[in-house]
């Protein structure tokens, strides 16, 4: 290990050691005394100070820790668009038009199809995609509509692509 690498490792260790007294106080307060710690005071990660609480309201994971990253990939896995939200991110439906707009300005020809999870589905997004003549591969919120949409090979292809990339990150993802 060369000197710059050693300095980096030692710096990380110092960062953790500096936080341990505060982490110990918080553990005592929360676990032994049963008291809440103010969100602004909580140490969420000893290694990443920029971590936030993300309220997801998903089954089995009401909250997660990290930052939200929107990633849009093409079928070959090339990232076409991304947006990092160091604070709380807007709801997924609001992210779609922002991302599509950025890609339409950056790339030509126009986007032909969009595939997303059901979090992006909204009436406004369905209308916007139709107006832009972009195929709607968003997973619908309605189970009945999902069953109907699954008859389309194009929809299934976009959803299969989205499912392949979903496991790589806890970010919001779209495929194109």
């Amino acid at each position: 290990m060369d000197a710059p690498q050693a300095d980096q490792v030692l710096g990380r260790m110092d960062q953790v050691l500096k936080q341990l007294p505060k982490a110990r106080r918080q553990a005592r307060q929360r676990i032994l005394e049963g008291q809440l710690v103010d969100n602004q005071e909580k140490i969420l990660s000893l290694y990443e100070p920029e971590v936030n609480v993300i309220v997801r309201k998903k089954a089995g994971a009401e909250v997660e820790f990290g930052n939200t990253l929107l990633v849009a990939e093409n079928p070959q896995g090339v990232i076409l668009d991304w947006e990092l939200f160091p604070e709380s991110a807007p709801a997924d439906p609001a992210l779609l038009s922002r991302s599509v707009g950025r890609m339409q300005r950056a790339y030509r020809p126009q986007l032909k199809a969009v595939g997303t999870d059901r979090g992006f589905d909204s009436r406004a997004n369905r209308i916007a995609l139709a107006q832009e003549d972009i195929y709607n591969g968003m997973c619908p919120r309605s189970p009945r509509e999902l069953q109907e949409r699954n008859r389309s090979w194009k929809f299934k292809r976009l959803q299969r692509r989205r499912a392949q990339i979903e496991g790589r990150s806890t970010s919001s993802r779209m495929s194109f």
Side-chain angles (χ1 to χ4, degrees), residues 53-65:
V53 176
I54 302 170
V55 180
R56 299 287 296 218
K57 297 182 181 169
K58 286 186 173 182
E62 185 128 336
V63 296
E64 295 175 352
F65 302 98

Side-chain angles (χ1 to χ4, degrees), residues 19-29 43:
Q19 295 178 84
L20 284 179
K22 185 176 179 180
R24 185 171 184 236
R25 281 193 306 276
Q26 286 184 14
R28 176 174 296 283
Q29 181 179 344
I43 296 176

Side-chain angles (χ1 to χ4, degrees), residues 95-108:
L95 299 177
L96 183 69
S97 62
R98 292 163 61 148
S99 182
V100 167
R102 282 192 302 269
M103 287 187 283
Q104 285 179 324
R105 287 188 298 278
Y107 309 109
R108 297 286 178 214

Side-chain angles (χ1 to χ4, degrees), residues 10-103:
L10 291 172
R12 288 182 182 168
M13 291 173 68
D14 288 342
Q15 177 185 340
V16 170
L17 291 171
K18 195 176 354 175
Q19 295 178 84
L20 284 179
K22 185 176 179 180
R24 185 171 184 236
R25 281 193 306 276
Q26 286 184 14
R28 176 174 296 283
Q29 181 179 344
R30 292 181 70 208
I31 297 167
L32 299 177
E33 298 170 10
Q35 297 175 358
L36 295 177
V37 176
D38 287 336
N39 283 341
Q40 296 81 8
E41 296 296 316
K42 286 181 185 173
I43 296 176
L44 301 175
S45 171
L46 293 171
Y47 305 99
E48 296 293 331
E50 315 306 319
V51 169
N52 294 296
V53 176
I54 302 170
V55 180
R56 299 287 296 218
K57 297 182 181 169
K58 286 186 173 182
E62 185 128 336
V63 296
E64 295 175 352
F65 302 98
N67 293 312
T68 302
L69 174 65
L70 171 75
V71 177
E73 294 180 343
N74 73 2
Q76 292 76 33
V78 175
I79 295 174
L80 301 176
D81 185 51
W82 64 273
E83 189 171 358
L84 177 64
F85 299 93
E87 300 298 322
S88 71
D92 284 353
L95 299 177
L96 183 69
S97 62
R98 292 163 61 148
S99 182
V100 167
R102 282 192 302 269
M103 287 187 283

